[in-house]
Structures are given as C-alpha cells and as structure tokens.
Amino acid sequence: MKSLYLTTAALAFGAALAGPAAAEWKLTILHSNDFHSRIEPINKYDSTCSGDDITENKCFGGSARMVKAIADEKAKFENVLVLDAGDQFQGSLFYTHYRGKAAAEFMKDAGYEAMAVGNHEFDNGPETLADFAKELPFPLLMANADTSREPAIHDLVKASAVIEKNGQKIGVIGLTPQDNAELTSAGKSIDFTDPVPAVKAEVERLSKDGVDKIILLSHSGYDADQRIAAAVDGLDVIVGGHSHTLLSNSDEHAAGPYPTMVKSPDGTEVPIVQAYAYGKYLGEIEVTFDDAGKVTEAKGDPILLDASRPEDEAVKARVAELAKPLDEIRQKVVGHAAAAIDGSREVCRARECPMGDLVADAMLDHVKGQGASIAIVNGGGLRASIDAGDITMGEVLTVLPFQNTLSTFEIKGDALVEALENGVSQVEDGAGRFPQVAGLKFSWSRSGKPGEYRIRQVEAMEDGAWKPIDPDKTYLVVSNNFMRAGGDGYHVFTDKGEKAYDFGPALEDVVVEYLQKSNEPYEPGTDGRITELN
C-alpha cells in the first residue's frame, strides 16, 4: 500500500507540474519614478516637511521610508524586481550639494536593480551622470539615444539589461524622453530618437537571445507609454515615469487604473503602471506569466508611503547626517506667505498659477529699471508649492532647484507670439513649456492647431494700460537662461532674440529679493493674465 501511495502521489505531482498552475511564474515589480531628490520626507505640497508636520505625522515618503517599504514588500514575495523609471536628480538641496552621490547611496540601500535615465539626469551635464553611474551596482538604461559622441557615458549607459530571478531571464529596456534635446543641454552631444523603433529593436534582440519576459522601463510619460504599447509587440509590462501620473484603483484623483491595459498590435494586453512622484508612493504590481512567457494576470496598486509606514532607522540617521551642512541655508526665513502659494504641476503647466505669477512678477520687478516690460517663465521650472506662514530659503530652492539665471533680450512682437504658441502647444501632455507671464496678457484655445493658432489675443502693458501686442515692435523681455538657450522648445528666443544677456542673478535670489521688498506677508493669487477660451 505504501508503494502504491508513493506512486500515486508522484503521478499527481507530475501532473501538477504539467498543468497550468505549476507552469505559472509570478513576478512582483516594486517601482518608483520622478523621486527628484526628495531624500527627506515631504509635506502635502511635495516640499520638505517642517518640524510641525513631522510631529503631527503629516509627512510622506523620504529615503528612509522608501528603503523600509521596499524591504518590507520584498519579504512578502518569492520573486521581486525593484525598478526606478528615472529622474532621481534635481529637486532639493541634497542634489544641489551632493549631486547624484546621495541618490546613489540610498538607491543601493533600497536594492534597486535597474533605472531608466530621466531628462533631469542631464541637468548638470553627462559628466555628472557618469559619476552617478559609476556609483551604482545596477544598470542605467536608455535605448533611444546615440551616445557615440559622448564618451563620458557611452560605456556606462546601456539600451537594456537581462536580470535573472530563480532561473528566469527578465529583459529590461530603458527609455528617456525623445525631446531631451529641448528639455536638457544633452542634445549637443547625444542624439535622442523615436522610442518605438528603439524598443522594437531591443525586443527583437532580447527575444533572439531567448528572453521571453520583457519589461519596458520608460521615462516617456503616460500618454507616450500608451502609444508605445499600442505600436510594439513583445512587451509584457511598461513601468513609466516623467508625467508624474498617479495610476490607482483606490484613489479617486488617479489619472487611470493601475495597471492601465493597452492592446498591442498582436492583440496582447500590455499593463502600464506609474506611481506619481517624489517618493510619495511605492508602486507594486504582481504579474503572472505562463510557460511561454505571456502575461496571464497583472494586479496591484501603489502603496501610499504616509506616516503609518515606518522608516529605516539607519537610513534616517544617515539622512540627518547628510542634512547638517544644508540646515543653515534652508532654515533661514526669507519671507512670509499670507496663504499657500500653489505651484503644483497640474496647475502651472495648464493655466495661470499663483507661483507662476510670483516668479514672473519677481523677474520683471528686478529688471524693470533696465526697460524690460515682459517676463516669461516655463511652468515646468516651478517644482513645488509653498504653504502659508514663514517662507524659508529651503522652500524657495525646492520650488526653483535648477540654478537658472535671469536672461534679458530684445525680441519683436510677432516672435513673442510665436513663443507663446510654443508654450501652449503641448498642454494636453502636461509639458513644462507652458508660459507663466508678467507684463503680458494672453488668451488661448485648445481648439487651435498646436504651434500655429492657439494664441488668440496678446496684450502688453504699456504706460499703465494694456495694448495689443505690436508684431513689429521690439520688446525687452526677461526669461531664464534655460529658455533663452532654446529649452522647452523656445528656439525662437535663440533664433530671433537679440542683445541677449544670460548671466543675470540666480532666479531664487531674485524671488527672495522680491519677497523681502515688503514687510507684509506675500498675498498669493492670480489676476487673469492668462485666459483659456472654449
């Protein structure tokens, strides 16, 4: 009887191995994107938490909480892959002071296994990215870029990587924004290409090498990821970033479901995930593959890293140690706000916003003595809001982390309208080029063709009154050095701007100067200088 029992059990076990249940293989992907140097916990405005916020348990994220959350979630599953979809750089004094060294240290602590190169990884040039890459024990990925003319990173950044988990090979392909040449200064030495053929080529290469599970780690944006999924066969999952999109099944403010399913050309449904930004969430998706490497199920949701989630004490202590040289700078009170100053991404990249008015007004105020009458700043250059009460230098630097300088130049009215057309041309994509202005009023409509006829009316302030922009008149304009050099698509400033001076004071210092002009608290608001028409 014992022999018969063993034989029957062995047959049952063999049948189970041959059946669908035994052939399934599950992979849990933990992912983050657009961390933007939020090494310390953040408040509800995505800026650094104050002491009161910490005491009242109102903080989110931070490296110590992220490291602990990743460790806790890894312990729950057999096969776990930890990925970042780019933009670890830029956004706090930790980046300004340490460049990528702090980010690299805490990513190693968290156990990341691959990262896509975001556009902000180029903010201080390829050399800084190269230094970052050398610190990492995992690959930096960017398939849609030709780095052959950039020796600093040519051998350090790869198109894809293969990661093994319990005998299973997983291909991970990286993408960076195709418009990096406009978003960054990297276009001078790197050629960025269309993501679709780049991804197709890597999928084909990996498949020929016997890799049947392929993840796209894409710093391209939610809309672009959906287009890629609909155009490329062979992708199993897309882990996204760049657009700071919250996908969720439990948050009513989410932009879409988690995962968002998109049908590829061969009819396969591709799950797309993204987890907002600033370390506020940790994405977690569990994917089930069949024995042919096809996804049969994808489920999960981002995990909110609020005060209920514990922090890693060793990492917390290390963050505090690294923060010591920064405290004197950022704790200095430089102004007061009568109410919260909204600098949120979703507002400042789509319409007039209080932070845009503050920064543009400060820029114009600084140079009006030189005869400048118009200020224009890209909404993507505003990186956070500021809450009511004391305004610290740390908060200002969180809003304006790019170390931009004021640029003044002369430009004719018709070219200025052309610049505004560029500014509203990609509003549906949440692009950072949306213009915040001072000394200028304009109306626009989404019904017009992007780049050609969205701007409907433009007026400039002259002698205390609003007057229609004169296409033949030359105006003295103030912007920032990034835009003046053609950043965010403002090539018209480079091509048609004259008598340019790009070496004015730092933008953050100009804003502080403006806040300190009055002893009264700053009253934020908007005044109708930008109007969207139906």
Side-chain angles (χ1 to χ4, degrees):
M1 288 296 293
K2 183 176 181 182
S3 175
L4 178 61
Y5 172 77
L6 288 172
T7 303
T8 304
L11 286 170
F13 182 67
L17 284 176
E24 290 181 343
W25 191 76
K26 294 182 184 294
L27 174 70
T28 300
I29 302 170
L30 302 178
H31 62 96
S32 58
N33 58 276
D34 300 280
F35 193 74
H36 284 299
S37 191
R38 296 311 203 268
I39 303 290
E40 294 175 306
I42 58 172
N43 59 21
K44 64 181 180 180
Y45 298 106
D46 300 328
S47 189
T48 304
C49 252
S50 68
D52 288 344
D53 288 332
I54 295 170
T55 301
E56 297 170 14
N57 292 321
K58 293 181 178 179
C59 300
F60 304 87
S63 292
R65 191 169 280 115
M66 180 65 77
V67 168
K68 184 69 166 71
I70 289 173
D72 289 348
E73 296 307 306
K74 284 178 74 172
K76 297 177 182 179
F77 304 99
E78 183 177 0
N79 303 302
V80 180
L81 183 62
V82 187
L83 303 174
D84 184 83
D87 274 5
Q88 281 282 330
F89 283 17
Q90 200 65 267
S92 78
L93 278 176
F94 278 86
Y95 178 74
T96 306
H97 189 75
Y98 295 108
R99 293 295 185 246
K101 290 187 180 297
E105 178 177 339
F106 296 124
M107 291 188 83
K108 285 187 283 188
D109 289 341
Y112 282 93
E113 295 168 270
M115 174 183 163
V117 178
N119 50 294
H120 285 287
E121 269 69 70
F122 291 107
D123 278 350
N124 288 92
E127 293 78 11
T128 299
L129 176 57
D131 291 340
F132 177 62
K134 292 171 185 175
E135 297 280 337
L136 301 178
F138 54 83
L140 278 177
L141 305 176
M142 183 172 65
N144 61 322
D146 178 0
T147 60
S148 59
R149 294 186 296 110
E150 185 44 75
I153 64 168
H154 183 58
D155 294 326
L156 295 172
V157 178
K158 306 298 182 183
S160 65
V162 176
I163 300 171
E164 288 200 19
K165 294 286 177 182
N166 290 328
Q168 298 286 327
K169 292 183 177 180
I170 306 160
V172 184
I173 303 168
L175 283 180
T176 198
Q178 184 181 356
D179 57 351
N180 260 355
E182 296 178 353
L183 298 175
T184 77
S185 61
K188 294 178 176 64
S189 60
I190 300 171
D191 297 318
F192 299 96
T193 61
D194 186 334
V196 171
V199 174
K200 284 182 177 179
E202 281 305 299
V203 169
E204 183 178 352
R205 189 185 66 78
L206 289 166
S207 299
K208 284 182 179 178
D209 290 342
V211 179
D212 62 1
K213 300 172 182 65
I214 299 177
I215 297 166
L216 178 62
L217 192 53
S218 173
H219 195 82
S220 304
Y222 183 47
D223 290 343
D225 288 343
Q226 293 176 79
R227 291 193 293 271
I228 294 165
V232 180
D233 288 327
L235 293 175
D236 294 303
V237 183
I238 298 178
V239 177
H242 187 49
S243 54
H244 296 208
T245 303
L246 176 61
L247 300 179
S248 173
N249 305 314
S250 55
D251 191 314
E252 61 182 9
H253 301 296
Y258 182 103
T260 296
M261 306 299 292
V262 174
K263 189 172 291 186
S264 66
D266 66 3
T268 303
E269 295 265 314
V270 180
I272 299 172
V273 293
Q274 194 174 151
Y276 183 54
Y278 310 122
K280 190 173 184 177
Y281 295 85
L282 173 65
E284 179 177 288
I285 181 168
E286 184 181 61
V287 184
T288 303
F289 295 89
D290 64 17
D291 57 1
K294 299 299 182 184
V295 175
T296 60
E297 185 181 23
K299 61 182 180 180
D301 217 27
I303 300 167
L304 178 63
L305 301 186
D306 61 11
S308 69
R309 302 288 306 204
E311 296 175 287
D312 181 287
E313 292 300 323
V315 173
K316 184 178 179 180
R318 176 62 174 154
V319 170
E321 180 183 357
L322 292 177
K324 287 177 182 177
L326 315 178
D327 285 342
E328 184 177 349
I329 300 170
R330 62 185 177 182
Q331 289 177 6
K332 181 182 179 182
V333 175
V334 295
H336 307 274
I341 310 171
D342 189 354
S344 60
R345 177 189 182 96
E346 49 274 10
V347 178
C348 294
R349 296 180 179 218
R351 56 187 182 273
E352 180 186 0
C353 71
M355 190 65 75
D357 283 7
L358 166 60
V359 174
D361 286 345
M363 294 165 65
L364 186 56
D365 183 76
H366 185 83
V367 295
K368 64 184 180 183
Q370 302 171 28
S373 60
I374 293 168
I376 180 168
V377 61
N378 52 325
L382 312 174
R383 308 304 291 190
S385 302
I386 291 177
D387 53 2
D390 289 347
I391 301 172
T392 65
M393 191 65 199
E395 288 178 304
V396 174
L397 287 165
T398 300
V399 174
L400 302 167
F402 299 113
Q403 298 173 299
N404 290 138
T405 57
L406 289 198
S407 291
T408 54
F409 52 94
E410 293 181 353
I411 196 165
K412 287 190 174 181
D414 59 349
L416 194 56
V417 174
E418 186 180 338
L420 295 175
E421 286 284 6
N422 168 72
V424 300
S425 66
Q426 296 182 13
V427 69
E428 292 87 351
D429 300 327
R433 64 186 61 194
F434 190 87
Q436 300 292 331
V437 298
L440 200 66
K441 287 176 67 173
F442 70 90
S443 61
W444 69 285
S445 173
R446 296 173 195 244
S447 64
K449 185 176 181 180
E452 291 186 13
Y453 186 56
R454 287 194 160 184
I455 298 297
R456 300 302 167 83
Q457 185 178 32
V458 183
E459 296 176 288
M461 176 62 70
E462 295 183 42
D463 301 322
W466 291 108
K467 297 181 181 180
I469 200 87
D470 183 342
D472 296 318
K473 180 176 178 177
T474 297
Y475 296 86
L476 182 58
V477 174
V478 61
S479 186
N480 60 56
N481 62 311
F482 170 71
M483 295 173 68
R484 225 287 302 165
D488 269 344
Y490 284 91
H491 303 294
V492 65
F493 289 166
T494 303
D495 298 340
K496 298 181 180 180
E498 298 180 348
K499 299 180 181 178
Y501 182 74
D502 297 331
F503 310 106
L507 186 51
E508 64 269 19
D509 292 338
V510 169
V511 171
V512 168
E513 172 192 88
Y514 186 73
L515 289 170
Q516 293 179 337
K517 276 201 164 186
S518 170
N519 291 324
E520 298 298 319
Y522 176 75
E523 294 277 358
T526 57
D527 55 18
R529 61 188 73 174
I530 301 173
T531 304
E532 182 179 356
L533 306 174
N534 293 328

